[in-house]
Amino acid sequence: MRTPIEWLSQYVSLPEGISASDVANALLRVGFEVEDIHTVPPTTGDLVVGQVLTITELTEFKKPIRFVSVDVGPGHGPNGSNEPREIICGAKNFAVGDKVVIALPGSVLPGGFAIASRSTYGHISDGMICSVRELGVGTEHDGILVLDDDTEIGIDARDLLGSHDSVIELAITADRGYAMSIRGLAREAGAALDVPFVDPAAVDVPEREGTGWPVVIADPACGRFVTVRISGIDPSVASPFWIRRRLQAAGIRSISLAVDVTNHVMLELGHPLHAFDSAKITGDITVRRAVEGEKLKTLDGVTRTLVADDLLVTDESGPISMAGVMGGEATEISAGTTDVVIEAAYWDPFVISRGARRHKLPSEASRRYERGVDPAISLVAAELAAQLLTRYAGGTIVGRSDVAGTLPILPVIPLSLDEPERLAGRPYAPTVIVARLEQIGCTVADPAADPLQVTPPTWRPDLVRPADLVEEVARLEDLSTIPSILPSAPAGTSLTAAQRRERRVSDDLAAAGLTEVLSFPFVGVADFDALGLPADDVRRVTKNLVNPLDAARPSMRTTVLPGLLEAVTRNISRGARDLAFYEIGQVFLPRANAPRPIAVRVDRRPTDDEINLLNASLPLQPRHIGVVLAGAFARAGWWGVGRNGSWADAIELARRIGWTAGVELRVFPAEQAPWHPGRCASIRVGDWIVGYAGELHPEVVERLGLPARSAALELDLDALPERATPVAPRISPFPPVNLDVALVVPVATQAQDVTAALVDGGGELLESVRLFDVYSGDRVAGDSKSLAFALVVRAPDRTLTAAEALAVRDSALAEAATRTGAVLR
């Protein structure tokens, strides 16, 4: 919300000499975020109002050039005379008789733009006719700034332009819709500075004998519908300069008098209005919901297909406006409009919010309606707009109608006098509490009572409970006066075993050189398609959000890989080459035949059965760990050449995660999207699959633009059994016996199975078994392969004899032969 200080000061008595920075700090102190303070750049020299006397079109040049004679007032002509000045100008939007702003020779405009008499296009240009951008009071550069006809010639244009005005730009939160207006911010500034405030809506509305327009409210989402009918306006009249200047300062483009007037009232009072061309309305106006598939062409020229939840303003021809969002093109104000109907309505905020988001059509009106406008000033807003329109465009106010619907009921909130101190942590006198509540517009039934019975004002729908009132008192009394005391942690609390394990795993991966990322936790069909998941893959079964942050990703993730891969591709697109990312986060797995969640009452604690039913309706939410390796995993340097990450690194990282978690993981060949069918392994605890690791499928790599042969893993961290923290193995002080064996096994036999058989057969004295070679060639049969293992045999309490060591080896070989058919090579 851009707030000009000049406009604000019309309704709040700002202290003399106060700066825009001081006002901004006051608003900041009471809880508003100040984004910027805009000041008009200074202009030096003579800047005066002139009147165009003659215009000569110079047609011999490629672009339109005009030679203009301008009356600049007494003493401002050439050499201090009263004679006109002659100026070259390329703009076409002004005519003879128009009042314009002239920068005389010797003046310097914002940006250091010095003005001088100079010869150009065969004439002497003795000054400059200025646009708003050249004057630094706006950004439009469509043409010359044309002033009102009654502007005095020769006066200094700076005061007229508001060159001494400043604009405070504020970020208004969703619960403070009243502050999207000069009325609301003036009230807040008055409270922050403890100065008088005058409510611009506190005006007497005259009675009108005639009626506005017949209106039928057929939907409870409309609480009030005011119409004021005006006839006989002059459509050629431009908006007065003071309105255009205020709209420009507030960041709204001037369009026409009728539209500018409604925008001005909206900014001043916070109540949006809409103007219809009454000649284009057929029959009664009806407020209703849309018929599914109904069409409406809105003011932006787009024909929109409506749904049954859309709220409409209609006539006998059909929809003429999307209520509270945007008007329809069929009844818009045009250059020939002479009869106008001004609408001021109150709409249900939630209906407007859904409609604006559904059609991706945010507007100044919808931003206010969805935050809640003041329904008590609909009549005032419509009447003020009508009076402004007839003041400048002539015409007659034919009549006014005020059709009532169902308005929200104001709550009466009980507030104990000790509640502000209990919640805020510092004492507040009862008189201070009452004064601050009345300052924001609340009504206190009996200021001496305890508890106070407080009725919030109509413009504050966010005040619904005692805590809301406490917040108002605390912020107006300055939040910085509340002492900061850190609470003491309750005794006996600590991390759970699962949390400690997760931290160990995360720390170990970071120590291994991987970088932790937090990715977007929602997915869409395109993400699953990019991974090449089959149509019947269980990971495609998701829970969808009712109001997703990203329409293309409406589902809660069932795998962490899409977000991880997106983080990798984003970094690659920005110049990164070698990446090793990991993420630990929840996935959301819908339960089969889960019950529908129930609505739980808020006036009591839910029963155990209700809690169990709610828990049963929620998806399973295990924590998964994902890793993606793209590019070099071992960097090149003075120590030697580098090495790209591979399927083997992904599998070894899975083993490392298991070791850090205190669990021995087993590795078996597998086929699972999005991994390469021949380079994918299932990671198991016993025979239970807890994840997959390996090289990504080449098609996935190509679709996502990843480096060739990128690898990934994903494990269900919660599926790993709880074990004690792994410790370093105890090393025997006695010498080991190192034995190498080569076993011939069928090609289909897994090295994992042979290793397990050797370990089981070797017993306690077999300290370790390590596969160090796999051979298949001329020296073994075509349907066989040779697996070479290094065995370490050692006793913890003595030196083994050769016979004892060989006995351990033979026992291990016998078990391997029995279970896998292994033959010593």
Side-chain angles (χ1 to χ4, degrees):
M1 175 70 188
R2 292 170 60 95
T3 309
I5 295 295
E6 172 271 330
W7 200 350
L8 195 72
S9 63
Q10 185 176 346
Y11 301 111
V12 62
S13 301
L14 297 177
E16 186 176 352
I18 191 171
S19 67
S21 179
D22 294 333
V23 177
N25 287 334
L27 292 171
L28 182 66
R29 191 168 59 249
V30 295
F32 290 93
E33 180 184 350
V34 178
E35 292 191 322
D36 204 352
I37 300 176
H38 303 278
T39 57
V40 178
T43 300
T44 61
D46 292 328
L47 194 69
V48 300
V49 175
Q51 184 174 27
V52 178
L53 299 177
T54 63
I55 299 176
T56 303
E57 303 287 346
L58 305 181
T59 59
E60 62 269 29
F61 303 103
K62 292 183 179 180
K63 60 180 181 179
I65 298 297
R66 311 173 97 187
F67 185 54
V68 184
S69 174
V70 185
D71 181 0
V72 291
H76 295 300
N79 301 316
S81 69
N82 298 336
E83 297 300 317
R85 287 185 182 265
E86 296 177 331
I87 300 173
I88 291 291
C89 183
K92 302 281 288 185
N93 68 312
F94 62 96
V96 172
D98 283 347
K99 305 289 181 64
V100 293
V101 177
I102 309 297
L104 300 183
S107 61
V108 180
L109 298 181
F113 185 21
I115 306 300
S117 292
R118 61 192 180 93
S119 177
T120 181
Y121 295 102
H123 296 271
I124 297 296
S125 183
D126 199 20
M128 178 175 173
I129 307 176
C130 301
S131 69
V132 292
R133 190 169 74 175
E134 291 160 345
L135 294 168
V137 296
T139 58
E140 292 186 21
H141 196 52
D142 295 336
I144 294 304
L145 172 60
V146 178
L147 304 174
D148 296 340
D149 291 341
D150 59 354
T151 307
E152 183 180 351
I153 300 173
I155 64 171
D156 191 329
R158 290 178 183 82
D159 294 335
L160 185 68
L161 296 173
S163 297
H164 305 298
D165 192 16
S166 297
V167 177
I168 302 173
E169 188 168 358
L170 302 166
I172 307 299
T173 56
D175 61 333
R176 298 194 183 275
Y178 70 94
M180 297 186 73
S181 67
I182 297 298
R183 180 195 187 203
L185 290 174
R187 179 182 282 106
E188 291 291 334
L193 297 168
D194 282 325
V195 294
F197 158 73
V198 177
D199 190 350
V203 296
D204 294 328
V205 178
E207 296 292 334
R208 298 290 180 190
E209 294 183 0
T211 59
W213 199 273
V215 174
V216 177
I217 297 178
D219 193 282
C222 178
R224 188 178 188 183
F225 201 105
V226 176
T227 55
V228 178
R229 187 174 180 182
I230 307 165
S231 66
I233 67 170
D234 183 355
S236 66
V237 175
S239 300
F241 179 71
W242 68 271
I243 288 183
R244 285 184 283 143
R245 181 167 66 82
R246 282 184 171 182
L247 294 180
Q248 177 74 38
I252 293 182
R253 182 171 59 91
S254 174
I255 298 175
S256 66
L257 178 59
V259 176
D260 291 353
V261 161
T262 57
N263 282 335
H264 182 273
V265 173
M266 176 188 70
L267 291 173
E268 184 164 89
L269 300 184
H271 197 305
L273 304 172
H274 185 67
F276 298 97
D277 185 334
S278 62
K280 300 176 182 178
I281 303 175
T282 57
D284 295 354
I285 288 176
T286 301
V287 178
R288 62 170 174 84
R289 298 292 173 126
V291 177
E292 192 74 29
E294 206 167 6
K295 305 285 187 180
L296 171 64
K297 190 173 185 180
T298 47
L299 290 174
D300 57 357
V302 177
T303 300
R304 303 182 185 277
T305 301
L306 307 174
V307 301
D309 188 50
D310 289 329
L311 189 63
L312 301 177
V313 178
T314 68
D315 65 4
E316 291 180 356
S317 67
I320 59 175
S321 175
M322 189 179 297
V325 179
M326 185 173 286
E329 191 177 87
T331 56
E332 72 172 321
I333 300 295
S334 66
T337 299
T338 58
D339 297 337
V340 174
V341 173
I342 295 177
E343 163 218 311
Y346 174 81
W347 311 107
D348 182 282
F350 300 105
V351 174
I352 303 304
S353 177
R354 290 198 301 268
R357 282 157 177 74
R358 183 184 303 114
H359 294 282
K360 296 181 175 61
L361 195 58
S363 63
E364 291 292 338
S366 67
R367 290 188 186 96
R368 287 165 174 80
Y369 276 127
E370 67 189 10
R371 288 167 168 80
V373 303
D374 185 359
I377 65 168
S378 298
L379 192 64
V380 174
E383 183 66 29
L384 288 179
Q387 292 178 12
L388 275 175
L389 186 57
T390 55
R391 181 192 308 172
Y392 291 102
T396 304
I397 299 177
V398 176
R400 186 179 65 229
S401 297
D402 187 357
V403 181
T406 303
L407 289 173
I409 300 174
L410 296 176
V412 178
I413 307 172
L415 178 65
S416 300
L417 292 176
D418 61 350
E419 187 71 357
E421 180 177 358
R422 187 184 74 82
L423 291 182
R426 56 149 286 191
Y428 296 96
T431 54
V432 170
I433 296 173
V434 172
R436 288 303 190 183
L437 292 177
E438 290 179 341
Q439 206 167 28
I440 63 170
C442 293
T443 301
V444 181
D446 182 3
D450 188 9
L452 301 173
Q453 300 299 318
V454 183
T455 303
T458 53
W459 59 84
R460 293 298 302 271
D462 58 307
L463 303 181
V464 296
R465 56 182 181 167
D468 298 331
L469 301 178
V470 171
E471 180 187 2
E472 296 301 300
V473 174
R475 72 181 182 86
L476 293 180
E477 282 294 301
D478 196 345
L479 294 172
S480 65
T481 63
I482 299 175
S484 298
I485 302 174
L486 290 176
S488 301
T493 59
S494 62
L495 298 176
T496 65
Q499 289 172 328
R500 287 195 296 270
R501 180 178 66 178
E502 181 180 318
R503 290 196 178 186
R504 289 198 306 270
V505 169
S506 181
D507 291 344
D508 184 63
L509 290 177
L514 280 73
T515 301
E516 185 175 14
V517 298
L518 295 175
S519 63
F520 193 61
F522 305 109
V523 294
V525 174
D527 294 309
F528 296 137
D529 293 342
L531 295 181
L533 302 190
D536 59 349
D537 195 296
V538 68
R539 287 168 289 181
R540 285 184 178 267
V541 180
T542 61
K543 278 289 186 181
N544 291 341
L545 300 175
V546 174
N547 187 21
L549 295 176
D550 183 350
R553 291 175 172 172
S555 305
M556 303 172 77
R557 67 184 177 188
T558 54
T559 167
V560 297
L561 287 181
L564 261 176
L565 292 169
E566 183 182 29
V568 171
T569 56
R570 183 185 302 114
N571 279 271
I572 289 174
S573 69
R574 295 176 182 176
R577 291 184 297 176
D578 305 317
L579 302 169
F581 286 170
Y582 76 95
E583 178 178 10
I584 302 176
Q586 286 177 305
V587 297
F588 305 89
L589 311 177
R591 302 173 190 260
N593 302 318
R596 291 181 61 85
I598 59 172
V600 179
R601 293 172 56 181
V602 297
D603 59 344
R604 60 169 173 79
R605 182 188 182 278
T607 65
D608 291 342
D609 290 340
E610 288 174 335
I611 293 175
N612 292 334
L613 186 60
L614 286 173
N615 287 334
S617 68
L618 296 175
L620 298 172
Q621 301 174 46
R623 298 190 72 77
H624 279 203
I625 181 167
V627 173
V628 175
L629 306 176
F633 188 54
R635 302 292 180 87
W638 57 265
W639 51 84
V641 297
R643 179 179 59 80
N644 283 353
S646 69
W647 61 270
D649 294 302
I651 293 173
E652 186 57 31
L653 284 172
R655 291 180 184 274
R656 180 169 181 158
I657 291 169
W659 186 88
T660 306
V663 178
E664 183 178 355
L665 298 178
R666 305 174 68 196
V667 178
F668 292 87
E671 290 191 9
Q672 175 81 343
W675 286 276
H676 193 299
R679 296 168 187 160
C680 172
S682 63
I683 311 300
R684 307 188 185 190
V685 175
D687 293 327
W688 182 260
I689 297 177
V690 295
Y692 294 88
E695 181 181 314
L696 291 172
H697 197 288
E699 293 181 357
V700 174
V701 169
E702 183 178 357
R703 273 195 295 268
L704 297 179
L706 299 171
R709 312 197 77 167
S710 294
L713 74 88
E714 182 170 8
L715 300 180
D716 183 348
L717 201 56
D718 288 350
L720 303 182
E722 293 289 344
R723 298 286 169 82
T725 304
V727 296
R730 182 176 179 182
I731 300 176
S732 170
F734 296 93
V737 178
N738 297 306
L739 302 170
D740 293 343
V741 295
L743 303 179
V744 177
V745 297
V747 171
T749 302
Q750 301 299 320
Q752 175 85 27
D753 295 335
V754 179
T755 301
L758 291 172
V759 170
D760 293 342
E764 295 182 356
L765 295 180
L766 182 57
E767 184 176 280
S768 67
V769 178
R770 178 175 60 86
L771 175 69
F772 67 86
D773 185 50
V774 179
Y775 173 76
S776 58
D778 297 339
R779 299 183 182 182
V780 296
D783 58 350
S784 302
K785 61 183 177 182
S786 173
L787 303 178
F789 295 90
L791 310 182
V792 177
V793 181
R794 178 158 43 185
D797 55 352
R798 69 187 190 281
T799 299
L800 293 177
T801 65
E804 289 176 315
L806 292 175
V808 171
R809 181 201 64 179
D810 293 342
S811 177
L813 293 176
E815 185 66 19
T818 301
R819 286 164 52 173
T820 66
V823 177
L824 186 64
R825 182 179 170 191

